[in-house]
Structures are given as C-alpha cells and as structure tokens.
Amino acid sequence: MTASRMFLMLLFAVQFAAAPAFGQQPRFRALAFYTTSGEPDHIQFAQDAIKFFGERAAKENFVFESTTRWEDLNDDRLKGYQLVIWLNESPAQPEQRAAFERFMQHGGAWLGFHVSGYNDKDTHWPWFVDFMGGAVFDINGWPPLPAHLIVDDTNHPVTAGLTAGLDSPANEWYVWKPSPRRNKDVRVLVSFDPANYPMGFKDVITSGDLPVVWTNTKYKMLYMNMGHGDKIFDSSMQDKLFDNALNWLGTGAKQELGRNPLEKTSAPLEASGMQISPRGVVLNPKTGKFYAVNTRQDAVTVLDEQGKILARVKTEKEPEAIAINPETNRIYVINAGSGTVSVIDGSTDTAIAIVAVGDLPYSLAANQATNKIYISRTFNNTMTVIDGRTNTASPLPAGMQADAITVDSVANKLYLIGYQDRAITVIDGATDHFSKIDTKIHLWAIASEPSDNKIYAANVGNSSAMLIDGMSLETRTVPTGAFPSAIALDPVLRRLFVANYGSGSVTVIDLKTNSVVATVQVGAQPQALAVDLVDHKLYVAGTHAGTTRVVDANSNAVVATLKTGHAPFAMAVNSKTHKALVLGMAGELTLIDGRTLKASPVSLPEVPSR
C-alpha cells in the first residue's frame, strides 16, 4: 500500500470520526485548509493536526472537516462554518483572500498555525498584515528545537488550566518585526522565555521579546507559532492549549477590550538573531595556522600555531564559514551577506580573489583530490563549485543541497546532508555526478574518516548516530542523547563523540564494536566539539553557559570547565601544540592551552586588517 493511499484512508477515517453522534446538534463547525506540497515538516504537521482535531471533534461534539482545495475558500463554502483553520499555508489568489476578509469581517473565526501567518514584502496583502497585528516575518531559528514558553495571561480562555510556563516540543521559531506586542489591539498570550537564548545551531535567535501566541482583538482570531515537524503534539500541556484555542474560537471567541492586565507596560526590545557555522574556526594542518571569522567586522583573523595573531584579512559582508585546501595553501571564506567567497593566499595571508557564488551561501568544503571547492546555498537545490586553479565558479546540476558537507579526499567523494532531506547526497569528485544513501529525516552533523572509508552522521529527529560503510553503504544506527548537535572523531582511539544538545551530555561510541561505551555529562546544551588527536582531549562548547569543558577521552572524565566568552559555538584544535581556539557569538576568541588547561581571551583590535 502506498503512503499516499494510507494517508487518504486515515483522512477518511478521521473525517468520519469527526462528526457528532447521530441526533446531536454540533456545537460548531470548523474547516481546515492545508497543502500537501512544500516543506516535509509542514506537511507532517498538517497530517498530525488533522488527526488531533478530528479526535477532539468526536469527543467534544463539533464538526471538523479538512480540505486541500483552497478554491473552497469562498463565500458559499464558508457560510456553513464558524471557524476556519489554516494549518500550513495561506491563500494566494485575490478572490480567496477577499472571501476570507469578508468571512472575518462578518464575525467568522480563524486559527492560524506557523507558516500560515507568514508574510513579507512579497506577500502583497496589507489587510493580512493588519490582521496579524502588524507583524511581518523577519527571521527564524534553525533547526527546529524545543523551547520553554511563558504564559503571559493565565486568565484567558485559551490558556485556561495551563501553568505559568510551558515546555514546547521541537519547532521552528519565528521572529516578527514589528513585534505584534507593540500593537494596542493585540493581546499576547504566550511568549518565548529569554532563558532559551541563544537558540539555534545555524540561524540563531539571540535576544529580545518574542511573542508566540496572540490575538488581534479587532477580530475573532488566534495565531500560534507552533506547526513545524512531527513532534508538535508530543506535549499534553501544549495539546491543551490547542484544544482550548479551538473551543474558544468555535464558540464565539469573546474578546476582552483593552490590553492584557499582565502585559508588559514598557516597549520591549524586539527579538534579533544571527547566522553561525561550526566552521567559523578552522586549522590549516600543514602550516598550523588558525583562521577565524569575525562576522561583525567583515574580517578573518589569522593566528599562528601558538595562538598569536598574525593578520586580520578584510572580507566582504558577514563572513561565516571557512574551508582550507592544505595542498594549495588556499583559504576559502563564505561571505553570507554578499553572496561571495573570499580566497586567501595562506603564504601571505592576503585576499587574492572574490568569487560570486549566489545568494545565501552557507556551507562549503574543499576537495583536495580535485582542487575544487563546493558551496551550498540556503533555500536552493543547486550548488556552486569553484575551480581552485582559476577561481571561477560554475553551478552543479539541480538536486543537491546541504546544511553540512564532509569530504573523503582519498575516495574522492563528498557527502552532503540537509535537515529536510531523507537521504545523504554523495558527489563523485571526478564527475560531479551524485547518488543518494537513504536515511531518516532530520540529519544535522556529518563527518568522514578517509582511512577506513566510513561516514558518520547525527540525527536530531530520532536521537541517534548513523555509522555508514562507504563501500557497501551498510548502515548501523546507535542511540545517543536527545538532539545530537555535533560529532567528532578520534581515529586513533577509534571513538566517535556525539554532543547531545537536549541531554547535556556527550555520547562516546566505540567504533570497533559500534556500541556506546560512555555517556559524559558536560552541562546544559553542548553545541560544538573538537578533538586533540595526540593527547586525546575532547573540547565541548557549552553555548548557553559560555564555557568549554575539556574531557579526557581516555577516561571519559571532565578535567576542566573554562570560561570561553559569550556563547561559544565553533572551535579548532592544533594537536601539535595542544592549543584550542574557541569562537563566540560576539566575535571574541579564546585560546585554551590543553597542557595547562588554562583559557585566555585573544585581544583582536591591535592587529591591522590587510
């Protein structure tokens, strides 16, 4: 039986169960609109929501129906319903938008989830912007992560029975500017707890006030940011919030005029964010030099093998990630704000070329075997490849996208993962042809070990590590802690280390037996790893705590906890000098001496840019 046929059968069963018992007058009628195209996580949420609301309808005596036909958003169809729900889309056609406006202006109710409230400069629907309380999408955190939420108004019918706090399962969180809280007609019911910050492994929400659930009191409406992925209905407390919202809207949604008495009285600082990469710091293994991005100053800092600053190289806007070809001594820097790559000559540490690669470049990798540099772009299913001899760029065929790339220069292959993909993409370095290795969805980190032709990946969706044989493509899955965010290899000890963001731990996997041999507690929300391959120390960046923990990989014991600036998120280790360089979100660098276990900040302003 095909997956689509199974879903249609489930949908029929849910709709049948959603009808009230025979002879009973339904309390209200609700119609949900959704789409089966687009991001897989949005589709999964819609399927889960249809099941959830269908079950609630059968128990609570209301009619719940759903449709993918957005042309049904018309006056004739809507007149039979008190509540319209948008699960994962919004109308694009003028006649559908006009019908919805009339429905709302004549007393209809609306419940919108996640992307259904999305609007920006290209949406061209000013009425909807006002309807949303003036909120316009600005940025989001990525990948989807769980968060603690604050219930602003525990007296509202939508939050009835909830405590002052709510642990929400993994979701993609949106930032709106201007914030709807600034609108006098908006009542914010639930907001983001600032204790979550910084939130994200790639796109990071760093600070500010972030409303999550709100109503515009001019209408019978409620918007909820939740709605991305297959974990949205994993919390009984959040399910109660959804159930309350459905019943409040369906039975009239009586709005109280004026602001929430518990609302913040002063204008809050709007939420802000930035984009980061675990490749913000790299080491050239041949020269021993460190290279670190300084996104705020549009520069790359160069340090010698002892951590002394040698140069600061000017780049274009928002340098974010670095790759090195040690054979040619060339350093490649993604400039996310310019859509370019800066090429630095490692012998002089000066920029020798700027290569245009397209909007929103994010991940990159250098293949030493062919002297090619591969660049992936966000929201794009093609990649750009730079010829390292000529510094010219050309596109690769469609179908390749990556949040992370690893290279096996011995096998002349590249391995790409994307959070939304259900496969690892394998690029043949000789031909640039690609193939797929089937996996589960929601991979995040990836690494390869050329000496034994193995590939390792972390899956944040099911909290596991994948161990893949590059020849046979045989795959083993080893359980880890919650939300594995980074991996690192010690090929001498034959160990794979997995940082578990959700569990505050590192899972240690013995690659001889493919089994877990230790779980090391390293503090809340570890986010980056690096290994000294000589003295076998593991460095673990605690982004929230502003610390880096040092683990003795021989004994799997924490031997030091060191202050390493604000929100450390990327690091590199020189195994010859036993120095580790740590990069924080404020652009600061901290040098750790692995022998003395001392950390010292690196002073940046004294060295002029080149």
Side-chain angles (χ1 to χ4, degrees), residues 578-593:
H578 311 293
K579 298 291 197 300
L581 188 66
V582 184
L583 174 63
M585 288 188 192
E588 74 275 36
L589 293 171
T590 304
L591 188 70
I592 299 175
D593 187 320

Side-chain angles (χ1 to χ4, degrees), residues 434-566:
F434 68 93
S435 57
K436 301 283 186 178
I437 301 174
D438 291 337
T439 65
K440 299 291 185 181
I441 198 170
H442 300 160
L443 297 181
W444 190 252
I446 188 167
S448 58
E449 176 46 53
S451 64
D452 59 7
N453 198 8
K454 296 292 194 299
I455 307 100
Y456 306 97
N459 190 311
V460 301
N462 63 9
S463 298
S464 68
M466 294 183 61
L467 286 56
I468 304 168
D469 186 292
M471 287 292 291
S472 68
L473 302 185
E474 179 185 355
T475 300
R476 295 176 180 269
T477 299
V478 179
T480 65
F483 290 89
S485 59
I487 57 178
L489 282 162
D490 187 331
V492 178
L493 292 182
R494 302 289 296 148
R495 293 285 191 270
L496 177 69
F497 304 100
V498 184
N500 303 309
Y501 176 90
S503 303
S505 64
V506 170
T507 299
V508 183
I509 299 173
D510 185 330
L511 296 178
K512 296 188 291 291
T513 62
N514 296 324
S515 61
V516 175
V517 294
T519 299
V520 185
Q521 294 301 316
V522 292
Q525 298 166 322
Q527 201 159 318
L529 298 175
V531 181
D532 187 320
L533 302 180
V534 174
D535 69 5
H536 307 294
K537 286 190 173 69
L538 175 71
Y539 295 85
V540 186
T543 306
H544 280 248
T547 61
T548 295
R549 302 211 180 197
V550 186
V551 178
D552 184 332
N554 289 296
S555 62
N556 295 319
V558 175
V559 295
T561 300
L562 307 172
K563 286 290 185 183
T564 48
H566 171 68

Side-chain angles (χ1 to χ4, degrees), residues 387-409:
D387 186 324
R389 295 167 300 171
T390 62
N391 291 326
T392 56
S394 58
L396 292 180
M400 289 180 274
Q401 164 65 12
D403 288 314
I405 308 170
T406 190
V407 181
D408 184 338
S409 293

Side-chain angles (χ1 to χ4, degrees), residues 73 75 91 93-103 105 125:
L73 195 62
D75 294 334
Q93 300 303 315
E95 61 274 16
Q96 297 167 7
R97 291 178 171 183
F100 178 69
E101 291 180 25
R102 289 190 292 271
F103 176 75
Q105 289 163 348
W125 194 4

Side-chain angles (χ1 to χ4, degrees), residues 120-135:
D120 59 19
K121 60 182 177 59
D122 298 320
T123 308
H124 304 300
W125 194 4
W127 179 90
F128 187 69
V129 175
D130 177 75
F131 177 73
M132 288 287 290

